[in-house]
Amino acid sequence: MDTSKGLENIDGVVWFDGQYVDWKDAKVHVLTHTLHYGLGVFEGVRAYSTTQGPTIFRLKDHTDRLFESAETVKLKIPYSKDEINKAQIEVVKKNKLEEAYIRPMCFYGSEGLGLRADNLKVHCIVAAWYWPSYLSPELYEKGIKVKLSSYTRQRGNKVSRSKVNGNYVNSIVALNEALEAGFDEALMLDTEGNVAEGSGENFFMVKEGKIFTPDVEASLNGITRKSIIDLAKNEKIDVIEKKISPEEVIQSDELFFTGTAAEVLPITHVDKNKISDGQRGPITKILQSKYSSHVRGENILFPEWLTNISVSYTHLTLPTNREV
C-alpha cells in the first residue's frame, strides 16, 4: 500500500460500521462530534511478518483496552470484542499486508454538537496500512535525545490515563516543543514533578541492574510496557514501579522508551545531560532483541501474545521455551 501521497489516497478497504468499504469512501461529516470535542477512543496495533505469515501482536489485549477506555468515558461500542478482533484480522488480510499498523477507533457521529454528547450514534472503524518505524533505524542503536517537557501529564485521572483521542493534544504539543528545540522526543513530568511518559511512549530507567518504571497513575498502561516487564522478569531482571524524579533520571545507567510504534527505543541524552556513557545500555539491548524476536515469531516465550491472521482467533502453536 503506497502512502507516499497521503493516507487518504491508499488503495484498499476500511472496516466501517460493520462493512468493508473502499478506502477513499471511508468519510465522515465535518460536524462529526469527535472532530470538534475529541471524545473518541482508539488503539494502535501492529502485525508483523513471521514464518507462519502475518501475525498480530497482543490483539485481544489491545481490544480489551479499547473497551476499557470506552467504559471510562461512557461511550458504548455497538460491536462485540470478537467483532472488533475479527475486523482487525480481516483488514490485514483484505489489504494483503505482510506487516501493518492497525487503527481501531470508535467515535461519535454528527447528529448534534454540545458537551452533553447525548443522542449521538457511535461509529467504529478499523484501518490497516504499512507504516514502518517513524524514526531512523540507526536511532534504535545510537539512541535518542529527549527534552524534559514544559507540558505535564495529569496524575490520578482515569480519563487522562485512557486511550482517548483528545488526550493526545498534550502529546502533540509536547513533541513539537521538543522537535523545535532540536531533540528527538519529549519526556513529560506529572503534576507532582515526577517522570510520567514520552509523547506516546512509556518510560523505563535502569540503575544497578534493576529496571524502574513510573506507576500508571500518570501514564498509559501500555501493552508494550507490560510486555517488556514480562520479558525482563523472564530474564531474571527485577522491575520496580515507583515515582521517579528527574534527578534520578540524570543519574541512571540506562533509559529507554517503549510503545507500539517505538517498540524499545534507547534514550542517551536528557536535555543537555548524557546518560552514563551516552550509548545504548546492555539491558536495553537485551530487551530490544527479546522483543523483536518474539513479535516476529522467532523466539516465543508467550505464545498467547501472537494471533496468526490466516486462522481467525487461533494463536501460533510454535514450541515455547518460556520458564514456568
Side-chain angles (χ1 to χ4, degrees):
M1 302 175 77
D2 182 11
T3 60
S4 61
K5 296 181 180 179
L7 287 179
E8 72 277 12
N9 294 314
I10 289 175
D11 291 322
V13 297
V14 174
W15 184 85
F16 195 155
D17 287 346
Q19 303 294 321
Y20 294 95
V21 304
D22 187 273
W23 193 283
K24 297 181 179 64
D25 293 331
K27 299 177 181 179
V28 296
H29 196 275
V30 294
L31 293 181
T32 296
H33 193 277
T34 300
L35 176 63
H36 291 256
Y37 298 114
L39 184 51
V41 296
F42 73 98
E43 280 295 319
V45 191
R46 288 188 69 170
Y48 292 89
S49 176
T50 75
T51 57
Q52 293 196 18
T55 300
I56 300 176
F57 184 64
R58 302 198 74 160
L59 169 66
K60 293 183 179 181
D61 295 302
H62 280 283
T63 300
D64 285 346
R65 189 174 63 181
L66 179 75
F67 277 75
E68 290 167 5
S69 296
E71 173 63 25
T72 296
V73 296
K74 307 303 179 186
L75 183 150
K76 295 181 179 179
I77 298 176
Y79 298 94
S80 69
K81 291 181 180 180
D82 279 349
E83 288 173 305
I84 299 295
N85 284 335
K86 182 179 179 182
Q88 292 176 77
I89 291 167
E90 290 298 320
V91 294
V92 176
K93 291 168 68 174
K94 289 179 181 294
N95 289 308
K96 298 180 174 61
L97 294 164
E98 289 298 316
E99 296 212 349
Y101 182 86
I102 308 167
R103 170 53 55 87
M105 183 176 73
C106 303
F107 60 97
Y108 284 127
S110 56
E111 290 77 16
L113 290 180
L115 297 183
R116 286 179 179 269
D118 53 359
N119 300 314
L120 299 175
K121 180 177 180 179
V122 175
H123 298 276
C124 297
I125 65 99
V126 178
W129 65 97
Y130 176 65
W131 189 8
S133 174
Y134 72 104
L135 290 167
S136 302
E138 62 268 17
L139 291 179
Y140 286 87
E141 180 177 347
K142 187 174 70 172
I144 64 170
K145 299 178 180 180
V146 303
K147 173 179 170 54
L148 284 176
S149 180
S150 66
Y151 297 91
T152 58
R153 286 272 305 181
Q154 290 188 36
R155 183 173 183 83
N157 184 323
K158 191 174 180 181
V159 173
S160 71
R161 300 197 310 270
S162 299
K163 210 161 177 67
V164 175
N165 295 41
N167 288 344
Y168 285 79
V169 172
N170 199 42
S171 297
I172 291 169
V173 295
L175 177 58
N176 285 338
E177 176 189 57
L179 294 174
E180 289 170 4
F183 293 85
D184 301 301
E185 251 294 357
L187 180 59
M188 290 185 283
L189 306 181
D190 65 20
T191 48
E192 295 181 356
N194 296 306
V195 173
E197 62 179 18
S199 67
E201 308 91 2
N202 287 113
F203 175 81
F204 288 83
M205 177 182 81
V206 179
K207 185 69 175 178
E208 297 178 352
K210 296 180 180 180
I211 297 176
F212 300 87
T213 190
D215 61 49
V216 292
E217 283 297 302
S219 64
L220 184 72
N221 190 8
I223 289 168
T224 309
R225 173 187 185 272
K226 291 188 284 188
S227 303
I228 290 301
I229 290 172
D230 286 341
L231 291 171
K233 289 180 177 178
N234 192 74
E235 294 295 307
K236 309 301 184 188
I237 302 171
D238 290 335
V239 181
I240 301 162
E241 294 187 27
K242 66 182 288 289
K243 294 180 180 180
I244 300 173
S245 70
E247 292 74 24
E248 289 177 285
V249 169
I250 301 306
Q251 297 167 8
S252 66
D253 299 327
E254 304 177 41
L255 303 173
F256 60 90
F257 278 142
T258 65
T260 296
E263 297 181 320
V264 182
L265 183 62
I267 301 167
T268 55
H269 293 76
V270 176
D271 286 345
K272 296 181 180 180
N273 302 288
K274 182 169 66 173
I275 304 304
S276 187
D277 62 358
Q279 305 293 318
R280 175 181 60 180
I283 289 179
T284 304
K285 186 176 180 180
I286 289 169
L287 293 174
Q288 280 183 317
S289 176
K290 294 292 181 182
Y291 183 81
S292 178
S293 64
H294 197 298
V295 299
R296 297 189 180 282
E298 297 165 359
N299 183 27
I300 299 174
L301 300 172
F302 301 90
E304 66 273 17
W305 290 355
L306 304 177
T307 299
N308 189 324
I309 71 160
S310 63
V311 184
S312 297
Y313 311 117
T314 299
H315 293 96
L316 285 174
T317 55
L318 299 180
T320 175
N321 54 1
R322 176 182 177 183
E323 295 184 24
V324 294

